[in-house]
Amino acid sequence: MRLPNYIEGFPDFVYLYGIEEILKNLCHQLREHGKLRTILRERLGKRACYIYDYTSGKYGISLWYIREILDIWSRVTGGKKEEVFDNIFGAATSFGFRRERKHVMLPKVMTEDLAYLVGVIVGDGWVTSDGGLVGIVSGDEEYLRFVISSLFKKLFGCDVHIRRDPRKNHTYFLETHSKIINAFLVHVFGFKRGKKVPKIPTVFKNYPKNILIEFIAGFFDTDGSVNKSSCTIKFTQKSREILEQIKGELASLEIRSSINYDKRWDGWDLRLSTKDRKKFFTFIKPRTKKKKAMAKNVLLGRWSSLEKDAGLRCA
């Protein structure tokens, strides 16, 4: 379940690591045509000498340099740049910037963990307008520290920073300062920098149903709740569009729901049918501690314990 090749959409200042053999092969083909030194100097000027550091693996290779070499190679050999970019996508081991020591990994295949994390970011996350940060807000510090931070480490090989909102007692921010991860979310999942995502990313149409279910689980862990007095399972959102999409996806699993407008906060909620509560949690597997306990109680039919335990309401 490979992801689409997002490298071509990245800006020139991104550096790739692990692709020196591909660059060597391109240079070898240019040398066979007797064009390497002349064309490199004409096109790259003083930067032509960088080729030796890049092919030795001493440094990462900038996308700007790769694009220039590929333009030269394509013109001389008639080869297709798209095929080389596919090879680069498969070979790249990490990504970074010239003056940054830390590199990040980027997923190349769609997994349930990645789908879940994207659902969390759509629910209570953001990508900054300057492209330098990805963040998630939650009232559950333990969830951010032990579940979400672990996903960032597993998927991207990066650490995150968790801080408390000084204006509130029980609100926490998880942040990772990475232009690369920011660009990845924008190009693969259609995130809009500085804006909320109002719908399910279209890329999920390309993958099996279990992947989309994990996205919904992540979205539920951030924008879902259970009313402890009525035991109503619901999603809440300002965007009706994404709730309509989730309603349709749940209907395909034979889970009934309805969408209602709440004028108290000028937003929408999607409420599950009381008859389909158990079915919902046979598909949707929460990862927050409170919601996991809630799901267990629902599956065992212990509604009374839900009503008594005020701590099961989603933060």
Side-chain angles (χ1 to χ4, degrees):
M1 294 188 292
R2 177 174 149 164
L3 288 171
N5 189 344
Y6 45 78
I7 291 177
E8 292 185 72
F10 278 2
D12 285 342
F13 53 78
V14 173
Y15 278 67
L16 279 64
Y17 298 80
I19 64 168
E20 55 271 10
E21 291 301 321
I22 294 176
L23 186 59
K24 285 180 184 178
N25 185 47
L26 294 176
C27 291
H28 176 71
Q29 292 181 50
L30 288 172
R31 190 177 289 110
E32 286 185 332
H33 284 77
K35 300 285 188 177
L36 182 61
R37 289 188 177 182
T38 302
I39 293 180
L40 288 184
R41 287 175 180 173
E42 289 177 356
R43 183 72 175 262
L44 302 175
K46 293 181 179 179
R47 296 183 180 181
C49 64
Y50 293 177
I51 197 74
Y52 302 107
D53 287 334
Y54 289 159
T55 54
S56 69
K58 185 176 181 180
Y59 301 108
I61 307 170
S62 75
L63 264 174
W64 175 85
Y65 207 91
I66 293 169
R67 287 172 175 139
E68 292 293 317
I69 294 293
L70 276 177
D71 281 343
I72 298 169
W73 172 83
S74 180
R75 190 172 74 246
V76 171
T77 67
K80 295 182 179 180
K81 292 186 286 185
E82 295 79 8
E83 294 178 357
V84 179
F85 259 115
D86 276 344
N87 293 335
I88 290 171
F89 178 73
T93 55
S94 59
F95 303 79
F97 296 98
R98 182 178 182 182
R99 297 183 179 179
E100 290 186 357
R101 294 183 178 180
K102 292 183 179 180
H103 312 151
V104 299
M105 303 182 301
L106 290 179
K108 297 178 184 179
V109 297
M110 177 62 77
T111 63
E112 292 182 352
D113 281 339
L114 178 58
Y116 176 87
L117 181 60
V118 172
V120 170
I121 298 173
V122 169
D124 274 342
W126 68 91
V127 294
T128 56
S129 57
D130 64 1
L133 183 146
V134 178
I136 298 168
V137 62
S138 175
D140 189 340
E141 182 184 13
E142 181 179 336
Y143 171 63
L144 292 180
R145 192 168 301 280
F146 296 105
V147 177
I148 302 303
S149 63
S150 296
L151 288 177
F152 271 97
K153 191 71 173 179
K154 178 180 179 180
L155 294 169
F156 302 106
C158 71
D159 296 318
V160 298
H161 174 66
I162 298 173
R163 60 182 177 87
R164 188 177 68 83
D165 186 344
R167 302 164 299 177
K168 302 177 182 178
N169 291 328
H170 301 292
T171 302
Y172 300 88
F173 296 108
L174 178 147
E175 298 171 345
T176 178
H177 296 266
S178 174
K179 291 182 179 180
I180 300 294
I181 298 176
N182 190 301
F184 170 78
L185 293 172
V186 168
H187 288 288
V188 177
F189 297 101
F191 279 77
K192 303 295 183 181
R193 292 190 173 103
K195 298 180 181 179
K196 292 287 288 183
V197 178
K199 58 185 179 180
I200 297 174
T202 56
V203 71
F204 286 113
K205 294 179 180 179
N206 302 325
Y207 300 101
K209 196 74 170 181
N210 66 299
I211 295 296
L212 183 57
I213 287 173
E214 283 300 317
F215 168 85
I216 295 173
F219 189 73
F220 178 70
D221 271 344
T222 50
D223 278 354
S225 65
V226 166
N227 184 295
K228 67 179 188 298
S229 59
S230 64
C231 290
T232 302
I233 300 173
K234 65 179 181 179
F235 297 78
T236 56
Q237 257 283 325
K238 282 287 187 179
S239 166
R240 176 166 182 157
E241 182 179 2
I242 193 169
L243 294 184
E244 290 282 5
Q245 290 179 309
I246 291 176
K247 183 175 185 289
E249 296 300 337
L250 293 178
S252 71
L253 301 172
E254 299 183 347
I255 299 172
R256 292 161 292 182
S257 60
S258 61
I259 297 177
N260 306 279
Y261 175 70
D262 191 335
K263 63 180 180 181
R264 292 173 298 177
W265 63 285
D266 188 28
W268 301 88
D269 63 55
L270 182 152
R271 300 186 183 188
L272 268 65
S273 166
T274 57
K275 296 181 179 180
D276 293 333
R277 296 161 177 163
K278 287 188 178 181
K279 188 182 295 183
F280 177 77
F281 284 118
T282 61
F283 291 103
I284 304 302
K285 306 297 182 183
R287 302 195 190 188
T288 68
K289 185 176 180 179
K290 291 179 180 179
K291 282 199 174 76
K292 285 170 69 176
M294 174 191 68
K296 182 178 179 180
N297 282 323
V298 170
L299 291 171
L300 293 175
R302 296 202 295 254
W303 291 102
S304 59
S305 63
L306 281 174
E307 295 169 350
K308 293 177 183 178
D309 190 355
L312 291 177
R313 180 188 288 268
C314 177

